[in-house]
Amino acid sequence: MNEKIKEFLDKKKKAVDGSGEVGRNKQHAKGKLTARERIGLLFDDDTFVETNLFVETNATSFGMENKRTSGDGVITGYGMVDGRPVCAMAQDFTFMGGALGEMNAQKIVNVMQMAYKTGMPFITLNDSGGARIQEGVNSLKGYGDIFYLNTRVSGVIPQISAIMGPCAGGAVYSPAITDFIFMVEKTSNMCITGTKVIKAVTGEDVSIEQLGGASVHNSVSGVAHFKSPTEKDCINQIKLLLSYLPSNNKAKCIKKEVPNWQLQKDKRLNDIVPDTNNKPYNMLEIIDRVMDKRSVFQVHKGYAPNIITAFARLDGSPIGIIANQPKHMAGCLEINASDKGARFVRFCDCFNIPVITFTDVPGYLPGVSQEHGGIIRHGAKLLYAFAEATVPKINVITRKSYGGAYVSMNSMHLGADFVFAWPSAEVAVMGAEGAVDLLFFKELKNSDNPQELRKEKLEQYRSELCNPYEAAKHGFITDIIIPEDTRETLITALDMIKDKEDVLPDKKHGNIPL
């Protein structure tokens, strides 16, 4: 028996060692950690349990019979992350460039099924050149099996992808289906086709960083949600994100204790919104002062900055935030902002995270490129997401809320439970200047003193329509509140509706305007 145990321990040591010092040195030379080093950073000390360590490829074509190794180029297992159970996989680039084959994929599927059955978040640490050409259609089958499970468990458990090296071809679609994508600057990239193929087919000469680097996907394409300077920072960011999320769609988020001093009113909120409605200000300053101190964690920070999406804590409880950002494009809604906001709302709804909206929106961005790009379809995604969401929904109108954008930004007409407005709020079809020019075009044209008449009509429009009181008269605003009372008001309101039940009609699923 002792000999059998020794044989097992020797085999395990060899399997765990993988490509050994040579492989580790190659990864480090590229500025990357190994798969096992990444797993070590992610999981609490001595809690990770590896699964399917001795799995090997079944392939024999093109020399694959000579490339068999235990683990088959991917580490899978489960353990504790900040005291919570989590499942994960980490691709090992030191073995065949982390390429995915049939048995390699089966290991990933096995741990995904474990995460689904037990209600654990699933994290992938991606570092792979793509499918194993030597295994042909079996490697493609492996991708298909993973995509299928990604889709089936979506909305049941949080799925988080970290790109820590190349991610090309079919490999990009699993991260794309997951809830959040993290990337590491300078060492990670994502693309459907490589730079050589693009050069050959289109003649475009582009570097891999320009094509699919972390900065590109965080600010231009919107594919990724976070970027970090190092892998260690990336993993720490993943842990921070997890702290806001429940383990599954039936679990509750973890509430933290809040010091008593945070209950004090912040009178500086009264002075943030400018007196003139066309002057920019930073909506993040309002959010930071209303939420628990140092709890705001932005999502998609570099993409469509005219809308803010973030997790935060309010009186210790995690919430999702959607907010217009007057600093960028006056907080207009457009194609990218609509997509960004809609996806975030739907994620929060999947996992029962209340949504609070801070609204200061002049409308949808006008222009031929927006119309031709499908702003009608994209803009509809945001209103669809809010209307579909059954979680507690609260809206705070800080200043402008005009036209269709007023409706789309979590209005009571889309099912908001509470809508609060500051005295500075302007709820109307459009701003006073535009409305007066349209309504009184003939009078202004024929007037002997058009400037005086315009001033008179502007005052009339603002007094009668462009304020929060008209909407409040009709019951579309729950209450008008002083800015310094916002935190207390939101805490009380959220406590009242935290256990609300809102059941959707019996149907297979809706048809969101994708």
Side-chain angles (χ1 to χ4, degrees), residues 150-309:
N150 282 140
T151 306
R152 284 303 177 104
V153 308
S154 180
V156 179
I157 55 173
Q159 299 180 85
I160 300 170
S161 299
I163 313 302
M164 296 184 153
C167 187
V172 301
Y173 285 117
S174 175
I177 298 171
T178 61
D179 299 306
F180 299 103
I181 297 177
F182 290 76
M183 294 187 73
V184 181
E185 295 174 11
K186 298 180 180 179
T187 58
S188 69
N189 57 78
M190 299 177 74
C191 55
I192 294 293
T193 51
T195 55
K196 292 181 180 178
V197 174
I198 289 175
K199 175 70 173 176
V201 175
T202 70
E204 296 170 290
D205 196 359
V206 63
S207 70
I208 191 65
E209 187 68 22
Q210 293 169 328
L211 179 65
S215 293
V216 168
H217 285 311
N218 271 270
S219 60
V220 180
S221 72
V223 168
H225 303 80
F226 305 93
K227 67 174 180 178
S228 303
T230 67
E231 292 189 17
K232 184 176 181 180
D233 290 327
C234 179
I235 290 173
N236 287 336
Q237 289 281 88
I238 292 172
K239 291 181 179 182
L240 179 57
L241 173 62
L242 278 174
S243 71
Y244 292 93
L245 310 182
S247 293
N248 54 68
N249 64 333
K250 294 182 180 179
K252 290 187 176 182
C253 296
I254 299 172
K255 182 173 181 176
K256 293 186 176 181
E257 291 295 322
V258 179
N260 289 333
W261 61 266
Q262 288 204 25
L263 300 177
Q264 298 174 3
K265 294 183 180 182
D266 191 338
K267 292 185 180 297
R268 285 169 291 184
L269 283 167
N270 298 334
D271 302 318
I272 293 176
V273 176
D275 292 330
T276 54
N277 68 1
N278 60 355
K279 187 175 180 180
Y281 64 93
N282 190 353
M283 183 65 83
L284 276 171
E285 187 177 353
I286 290 175
I287 296 170
D288 284 334
R289 293 186 184 283
V290 171
M291 298 299 133
D292 296 354
K293 304 303 180 190
R294 296 179 292 278
S295 74
V296 179
F297 181 49
Q298 280 190 261
V299 177
H300 251 154
K301 183 177 180 180
Y303 182 67
N306 43 314
I307 198 166
I308 297 165
T309 52

Side-chain angles (χ1 to χ4, degrees), residues 309-325:
T309 52
F311 292 108
R313 290 184 181 274
L314 183 64
D315 197 30
S317 295
I319 60 161
I321 294 173
I322 311 285
N324 307 111
Q325 176 55 288

Side-chain angles (χ1 to χ4, degrees), residues 48-62:
F48 181 70
V49 179
E50 190 164 355
T51 57
N52 296 138
L53 174 62
F54 296 106
V55 163
E56 296 181 1
T57 180
N58 294 325
T60 56
S61 301
F62 300 102

